[in-house]
Amino acid sequence: MKQFFLTVLGVFAGLFLFLVVVPFVLILGAIGAASSREPTPAHTVLELDLREGVSDQTPTNPFALFGGSGLSTMQIVDTLAQAGDDARVKVLLIRLPEGGITPAAADEIRQAVRRFRASGKRVIAHSQGFQPVGTAISSYMIGASASELWMQNTAGFQLAGFSADSVFLGRAFDKYGVNAEFEQRYEYKNAVNEYTESDFTPAHREAMTAWMTSIYTSALANAAQDRKVTPAALRTTIEAGPYSSAQALQRRLIDKIGQVEEAEAEAKRRAGRNAEIVEFADYADSQGERAGSGRNAIAIVGGEGGIMTGTGGGDPFGGGSSIMSDDLAEALYDAIEDKSVKAIVFRVSSPGGSPDASEQILAAVRAAKAAGKPVVVSMGDYAASGGYWISSEANWIVAQPSTLTGSIGVFGGKFVLADALGRFGLDMRNLSVGGDYADAFSPSQDFTPAQRAAFAAQIDRTYEEFIARVAAGRRLPPARVREIARGRVWTGAQARQIGLVDQLGGIEEAIAKARELARIPADESVRFKRYPEAQSPFEALSEAFGVSGEAARVLVGIGGVMNDPAAEATVRRIQTDRARASGASVLADQPY
């Protein structure tokens, strides 16, 4: 018995040390590190590394930053605006990705770089090569906006166009007995094709070629403008490649050849005596978000990721972002209730999601308009399908030329797995009680004719509801919306021509329009209020684990958990089990 109590005492002592003492020491260390952070040097070279990729928006969950580079397009734009006004920042050095960056993010970053240069400061971009993959043209476009574009001596300029690959599972499903039963509205709603086809359908090929051409043409035009050549000449030169770095220099595709250390030395030389290089994230943290000043405020409400009903969601340690309808609608209503807020800039970056979740968010947009607060949508990388649904009734829509938007359509269905599992000796059987539709989405059997008809009717209703929202919001006849809808994806440039978008630009243009609609004089300062507000670590863990705030304060003290793969895996298993317990839904009525 004595040994038992000693053992229990030892366990509690260990837990106390692990959960209280160690976290306390770590928190004190973090506070000390923050307080000892050196001020921005008088001659600063700001180094922006884009090679790890960027999200569209900075996550409100503080732990999500552990899952990636921690940079977002919105943060880059905001920080460069502050750096342009900061006399201590003399030069910007950009490290370019070899394989590209999402086109709309590249558009927005290029615009921010040009504004930074307009403040009289120099920008040096360095590349270790442009690869013939994906959207490398977007990476080159950012580089072309710099004062000088450098390339490493051994690197290749292999950019010759814009390519994209699609994987079709139709033949594999046929081979292994998986039956993909889907409804789509209509022929351009191409996500279904990946499950049912073995090649591009004519409509799929047409739409995809069109938006790829639009992105490629836009990027070439921007790069040509910044390189001071004609788009036709630049296109001819690029498509005649690939080139070595020396050949690229000879053809004036780049300005200098050198290692990144040489580019850094040149940046420091131009910044002045005793210049120091400061990482972009460190400078951004020291500056914080632009708050502005003044009596009136503009709310910036953000949402990124797939649209789902509910609250919370997403991996708290960086496993991806999502738009939860309760949270985003609440953020919009908070902005509505804030008397100092005179207009709302709604930043949307989403490929789509649940129509019910989308409608909940759109209702909040309507409420803002009814309260006399104009809503201006700023589209990020995507605002397609459900992403367009939630944008459709805003007062004004701003998109980048390369934003992917539209996709006004709907698809849904299920995978029938009984035959596939049977080939491995696994027998799936279904039991149901109630009406005929009760087992409609069972993966053990095909739709019955009656179930298929009922499901198709539901898909039709959702499509018509989508058409109605767009027709009302864009002031277009429903017949015209049906003509340009049919599930087709458009770029922002294309959408501007057909009336789905009002203006090309980014967050700065959206803010300017919001000021105009709110009748705030151009010479009057405004404050920026961001929704939803960033969570504290305790709030984030409380939400992730479904525990109280006090319990979260204990959980947050688990030292090193954010960098421990085993801990991350445990978190994901907990979330998966909770999702299963709550009843995961099938792929139905998804307006992707």
Side-chain angles (χ1 to χ4, degrees):
M1 183 65 69
K2 178 180 178 181
Q3 184 60 43
F4 172 76
F5 282 113
L6 287 174
T7 301
V8 170
L9 182 62
V11 169
F12 276 104
L15 287 172
F16 178 79
L17 287 171
F18 187 67
L19 296 177
V20 179
V21 177
V22 172
F24 182 73
V25 172
L26 290 172
I27 291 171
L28 285 180
I31 294 172
S35 62
S36 63
R37 182 178 294 158
E38 296 182 1
T40 302
H43 297 269
T44 291
V45 174
L46 199 57
E47 184 167 1
L48 172 60
D49 193 338
L50 298 174
R51 294 174 300 169
E52 294 184 9
V54 296
S55 60
D56 183 71
Q57 299 160 36
T58 303
T60 57
N61 188 315
F63 300 124
L65 298 176
F66 291 92
S69 69
L71 291 177
S72 70
T73 302
M74 293 280 280
Q75 183 185 37
I76 291 170
V77 171
D78 196 49
T79 302
L80 284 180
Q82 295 180 81
D85 294 331
D86 189 340
R88 298 168 300 177
V89 178
K90 308 296 185 182
V91 178
L92 173 67
L93 175 64
I94 305 175
R95 303 291 304 277
L96 298 170
E98 299 171 51
I101 187 171
T102 53
D107 280 337
E108 193 123 24
I109 293 170
R110 170 185 175 265
Q111 292 161 2
V113 169
R114 285 170 59 87
R115 288 190 292 268
F116 180 86
R117 286 188 62 186
S119 68
K121 302 183 180 184
R122 199 158 190 85
V123 179
I124 296 175
H126 187 274
S127 170
Q128 291 179 292
F130 297 101
Q131 299 296 324
V133 294
T135 58
I137 183 64
S138 297
S139 180
Y140 179 69
M141 181 185 70
I142 295 175
S145 69
S147 314
E148 299 174 12
L149 176 53
W150 290 50
M151 181 180 283
Q152 186 171 307
N153 60 321
T154 57
F157 192 103
Q158 301 182 64
L159 166 63
F162 175 21
S163 66
D165 296 296
S166 297
V167 176
F168 295 93
L169 301 173
R171 286 198 306 120
F173 281 0
D174 288 342
K175 180 177 180 179
Y176 294 106
V178 177
N179 184 16
E181 291 202 319
F182 282 85
E183 291 283 336
Q184 66 190 110
R185 301 294 182 271
Y186 278 96
E187 69 273 19
Y188 292 105
K189 202 68 175 175
N190 298 318
V192 174
N193 297 350
E194 296 177 0
Y195 309 131
T196 60
E197 306 292 335
S198 60
D199 197 355
F200 293 102
T201 64
H204 192 171
R205 185 180 299 276
E206 174 196 351
M208 194 164 176
T209 301
W211 66 253
M212 288 178 65
T213 301
S214 177
I215 288 173
Y216 182 50
T217 302
S218 175
L220 280 173
N222 289 335
Q225 177 186 357
D226 293 334
R227 298 295 298 174
K228 296 181 173 57
V229 297
T230 66
L234 180 61
R235 180 169 189 159
T236 298
T237 303
I238 283 179
E239 293 182 0
Y243 304 112
S244 66
S245 58
Q247 291 171 326
L249 179 63
Q250 183 183 19
R251 288 161 176 79
R252 301 183 63 188
L253 292 170
I254 62 174
D255 298 301
K256 290 187 179 181
I257 297 174
Q259 299 293 332
V260 67
E261 290 79 10
E262 295 175 279
E264 289 174 341
E266 175 64 11
K268 290 170 72 174
R269 185 187 72 80
R270 289 188 175 274
R273 188 176 179 181
N274 298 322
E276 297 182 36
I277 293 177
V278 175
E279 291 187 9
F280 197 88
D282 291 339
Y283 178 78
D285 288 344
S286 69
Q287 296 300 110
E289 295 178 323
R290 278 186 299 173
S293 60
R295 179 171 51 90
N296 295 319
I298 292 177
I300 300 178
V301 180
E304 179 177 8
I307 303 171
M308 299 182 285
T309 58
T311 185
D315 182 348
F317 300 105
S321 58
S322 57
I323 296 175
M324 307 305 294
S325 60
D326 283 11
D327 296 336
L328 190 50
E330 181 181 3
L332 288 164
Y333 283 115
D334 286 344
I336 293 169
E337 293 169 4
D338 189 330
K339 293 182 179 179
S340 69
V341 170
K342 305 304 178 185
I344 297 171
V345 172
F346 184 16
R347 178 72 173 197
V348 176
S349 188
S350 171
S354 161
D356 300 312
S358 300
E359 180 66 11
Q360 181 183 357
I361 296 166
L362 182 59
V365 171
R366 294 191 195 110
K369 293 169 62 180
K373 300 192 177 186
V375 179
V376 177
V377 164
S378 170
M379 293 181 169
D381 293 330
Y382 316 93
S385 201
Y388 193 81
W389 186 310
I390 65 178
S391 307
S392 60
E393 296 187 27
N395 296 88
W396 195 258
I397 297 178
V398 180
Q400 291 292 354
S402 298
T403 296
L404 294 181
T405 188
S407 192
I408 302 166
V410 60
F411 82 86
K414 67 176 180 178
F415 299 106
V416 181
L417 305 174
D419 185 20
L421 294 175
R423 300 182 187 193
F424 295 94
L426 300 174
D427 296 313
M428 178 179 283
R429 301 289 185 264
N430 170 262
L431 289 174
S432 67
V433 294
D436 176 65
Y437 201 71
D439 61 354
F441 286 94
S442 168
S444 66
Q445 59 197 26
D446 294 346
F447 285 122
T448 67
Q451 289 171 343
R452 187 72 183 238
F455 180 57
Q458 188 173 347
I459 290 287
D460 287 333
R461 284 194 297 273
T462 301
Y463 182 69
E464 290 302 317
E465 288 168 351
F466 202 165
I467 295 293
R469 275 40 173 191
V470 177
R474 302 306 301 164
R475 296 181 176 84
L476 294 170
R480 173 57 179 159
V481 177
R482 290 190 184 89
E483 180 183 339
I484 62 179
R486 307 191 71 80
R488 181 160 180 170
V489 173
W490 306 93
T491 63
Q494 294 170 325
R496 172 70 180 85
Q497 295 174 349
I498 59 177
L500 295 180
V501 163
D502 296 298
Q503 180 183 354
L504 298 180
I507 189 69
E508 297 296 327
E509 288 74 17
I511 290 172
K513 188 64 182 181
R515 289 180 64 116
E516 177 189 329
L517 293 177
R519 298 181 179 178
I520 300 174
D523 59 350
E524 180 182 321
S525 296
V526 295
R527 289 179 291 134
F528 300 111
K529 306 188 78 170
R530 290 167 172 82
Y531 301 87
E533 296 179 0
Q535 294 177 309
S536 71
F538 305 120
E539 291 170 333
L541 281 175
S542 175
E543 180 181 278
F545 290 95
V547 297
S548 68
E550 287 303 313
R553 290 177 183 272
V554 175
L555 289 170
V556 79
I558 302 176
V561 69
M562 278 71 75
N563 293 320
D564 184 350
E568 293 185 23
T570 301
V571 171
R572 294 191 182 97
R573 284 198 299 272
I574 291 171
Q575 289 187 312
T576 300
D577 291 343
R578 290 182 64 200
R580 287 173 178 167
S582 64
S585 62
V586 297
L587 273 174
D589 290 1
Q590 298 296 320
Y592 280 103

